[in-house]
């Protein structure tokens, strides 16, 4: 399916986003009377998505030049279109240091999820993006000025780790003063949370810290990685946090009888009504281990090695 103008949501003079399974930001900066520079925030899942984005830009901005793809993080559904767009347009890719490394060596993602060399069943485009070279690596929470006529568009890099290694968000301030926060996957929209109550995260503690942090950032619009734009951050941030806290409580409750990690994974999936296929088994299993680390470090659960098995138990 092609990307249509109905999916384009204009937020300010030069900042829009394309409402897609993975939301994609679009910055348009006029250059002269007809031409313009274009910047994308994230590129979707794969080459097909990259081709759809390029067709959309060519159809709607025939004299536009794609200058850069600015990535929130290196998961395949956010950077999978990068390599295609770089080949077709010569654009640059910008990302944080940790995510840049993973984009250049994407096999690490499936190795992280699996905990070793992964079986081929999870080496799909949904978890394994095509490798791409990152041209500009962000130096911490820097601020980048994009010249725009007599003014500029400010792009502030905001560190939001937890969902992934070195995830960042982008606070854009347009020439008209409107502020737009592209949050990456620290935020999910209401429908996305209802569909996937237990969402992938690499570091549960840092995810909670990032959710607290983003609530301190003032903006006119907040764009989650998946889901609808919101004007008020508190409600959606609290819902994301609630999903994490309820999952914590469910894990602790299930550990009133000691369990191995795999036994606990079955209990959590059964209780949540999730039918695990191979990719879900790996993703939710990896997420569960991240929760176990957070709960163990906070003193809510403990473990012991018994008969060559790691047994998790609730701390009474």
């Amino acid at each position: 399916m092609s990307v249509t103008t109905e999916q384009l949501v204009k937020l300010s003079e030069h900042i829009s986003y394309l409402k897609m399974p993975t939301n994609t930001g679009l910055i348009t900066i006029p250059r002269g009377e007809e031409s313009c520079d274009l910047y994308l925030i994230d590129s979707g899942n794969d080459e097909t998505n990259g081709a759809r984005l390029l067709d959309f830009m060519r159809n709607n901005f025939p004299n536009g030049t794609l200058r850069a793809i600015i990535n929130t993080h290196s998961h395949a559904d956010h950077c999978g279109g990068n390599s295609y767009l770089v080949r077709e347009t010569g654009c640059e890719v910008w990302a944080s240091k940790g995510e840049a490394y993973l984009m250049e060596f994407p096999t690490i993602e499936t190795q992280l999820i699996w905990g070793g060399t992964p079986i081929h069943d999870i080496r799909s485009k949904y978890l394994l993006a095509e490798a791409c070279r990152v041209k500009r690596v962000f130096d911490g929470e820097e601020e980048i000025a994009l010249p725009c006529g007599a003014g500029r568009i400010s792009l502030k890099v905001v560190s939001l780790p937890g969902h992934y290694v070195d995830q960042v968000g982008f606070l854009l301030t347009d020439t008209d003063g409107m502020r737009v926060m592209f949050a990456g996957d620290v935020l999910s929209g209401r429908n996305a949370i209802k569909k996937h109550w237990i969402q992938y995260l690499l570091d549960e503690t840092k995810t909670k810290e990032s959710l607290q942090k983003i609530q301190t950032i003032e903006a006119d619009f907040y764009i989650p990685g998946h889901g609808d734009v919101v004007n008020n951050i508190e409600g959606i941030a609290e819902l994301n946090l609630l999903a994490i806290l309820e999952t914590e409580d469910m894990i602790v409750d299930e550990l009133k009888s000691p369990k191995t990690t795999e036994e606990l994974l079955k209990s959590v999936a059964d209780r949540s009504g999730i039918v695990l296929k191979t990719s879900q088994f790996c993703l939710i299993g990896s997420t569960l281990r991240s929760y176990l680390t957070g709960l163990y470090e906070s003193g809510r659960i403990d473990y012991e090695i018994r008969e060559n098995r790691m047994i998790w138990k609730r701390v009474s």
Side-chain angles (χ1 to χ4, degrees), residues 74-183:
S74 60
H75 279 154
D77 60 332
H78 289 258
C79 71
N82 285 12
S83 292
Y84 174 84
L85 290 166
V86 170
R87 285 195 298 270
E88 293 296 317
T89 70
C91 70
E92 296 182 352
V93 174
W94 300 357
S96 65
K97 185 176 181 179
E99 302 297 333
Y101 186 84
L102 291 164
M103 286 182 201
E104 295 182 357
F105 300 94
T107 53
I108 293 174
E109 179 177 354
T110 50
Q111 290 168 348
L112 276 173
I113 293 168
W114 183 257
T117 300
I119 57 175
H120 75 273
D121 305 68
I122 65 169
R123 299 181 210 171
S124 68
K125 67 179 183 179
Y126 300 105
L127 296 177
L128 187 59
E130 184 179 349
C132 68
R133 183 69 181 272
V134 177
K135 181 71 172 180
R136 180 167 187 168
V137 177
F138 302 132
D139 183 17
E141 291 196 327
E142 64 179 288
E143 186 172 359
I144 300 167
L146 303 176
C148 183
R152 67 170 195 167
I153 297 171
S154 168
L155 185 153
K156 183 177 181 181
V157 181
V158 181
S159 178
L160 296 170
H163 173 74
Y164 215 37
V165 178
D166 195 18
Q167 177 180 244
V168 295
F170 303 108
L171 178 62
L172 297 173
T173 304
D174 206 341
T175 54
D176 59 6
M178 299 297 286
R179 293 167 298 182
V180 181
M181 181 69 204
F182 286 90

